[in-house]
Amino acid sequence: MSSQHDETPARPKRFEDTQLPAIPDVGLLDADVASVELSQHRTKLSTHRTGLSEHRTDLSEYRTDLSTNRTEMSMRRTGMSFQRTRLSAERTLMSVIRTALSLIGFGFTIFQVFSRGRESGVLNISTAAPSNFGMALVMLGVLLLIVGIVYHINFMRTLRAQRNAMVQHGLVHGESGYPISYTLLTACALLLIGLYAIVTMVFDVARG
């Protein structure tokens, strides 16, 4: 952006209001002399009005510069609000990752403990309900992760499209780009791990 938007305009100096010219007393003067005196008085009044008009013009230009700067700052704040919204979506996806990780980890642990316990004879349990419960937790975690990833991608695509549209209309600045979402990459990696855990459990059940 040009430097005129980065510098605060200087406020015009305070107008030093001069006294209005005194009205000449032309009652006892000759008509021609009185006409000259009144003409000079009108000239002084006109000069006074011109000074006021020039000062009003300076103030108007100053207000215009301030309005331009406020518009510039508003555009930048709007651009930063898009970044804050993007970071908020990242934090939401992080919460989904934490919940899904807890479900997958806890469910896989339950499945392995009860499955290995039954196989070794340490746990004398005839039903496979605890193992099924563990598998259900893992599946729930994977499902939650899939929903979170799909929602995040759709939300970010909508946000990016809205931002690009506002940039094209000159409503916001588009200098700052959208970096790669490492949170989304982490979520995808955890999804693969969850799917691998489900496949492992399914094969253990089939083998058992």
Side-chain angles (χ1 to χ4, degrees), residues 16-64:
E16 296 180 0
D17 191 11
T18 57
Q19 295 293 330
L20 288 173
I23 300 176
D25 187 5
V26 295
L28 301 178
L29 298 178
D30 183 74
D32 294 335
V33 177
S35 177
V36 171
E37 289 290 337
L38 291 175
S39 177
Q40 292 178 352
H41 180 67
R42 285 193 298 270
T43 301
K44 293 177 181 179
L45 289 176
S46 177
T47 301
H48 185 73
R49 286 196 299 269
T50 301
L52 291 174
S53 177
E54 290 177 351
H55 185 64
R56 283 195 297 268
T57 301
D58 293 339
L59 289 176
S60 178
E61 292 176 352
Y62 176 70
R63 287 194 296 268
T64 301

Side-chain angles (χ1 to χ4, degrees), residues 106-117:
F106 191 55
F108 188 77
T109 301
I110 292 176
F111 180 86
Q112 291 296 326
V113 167
F114 283 95
S115 295
R116 297 297 180 262

Side-chain angles (χ1 to χ4, degrees), residues 107-177:
F108 188 77
T109 301
I110 292 176
F111 180 86
Q112 291 296 326
V113 167
F114 283 95
S115 295
R116 297 297 180 262
R118 284 202 319 272
E119 292 175 1
S120 62
V122 176
L123 296 176
N124 188 14
I125 300 177
S126 59
T127 178
S131 300
N132 294 337
F133 177 70
M135 183 182 294
L137 287 180
V138 175
M139 290 181 177
L140 180 61
V142 170
L143 179 62
L144 176 63
L145 202 55
I146 292 175
V147 173
I149 291 174
V150 172
Y151 174 81
H152 181 79
I153 293 176
N154 289 336
F155 179 81
M156 293 303 295
R157 289 179 59 184
T158 303
L159 185 66
R160 190 187 299 270
Q162 184 178 2
R163 179 176 180 267
N164 292 337
M166 294 185 71
V167 169
Q168 292 177 0
H169 287 84
L171 299 176
V172 297
H173 296 298
E175 295 119 352
S176 58

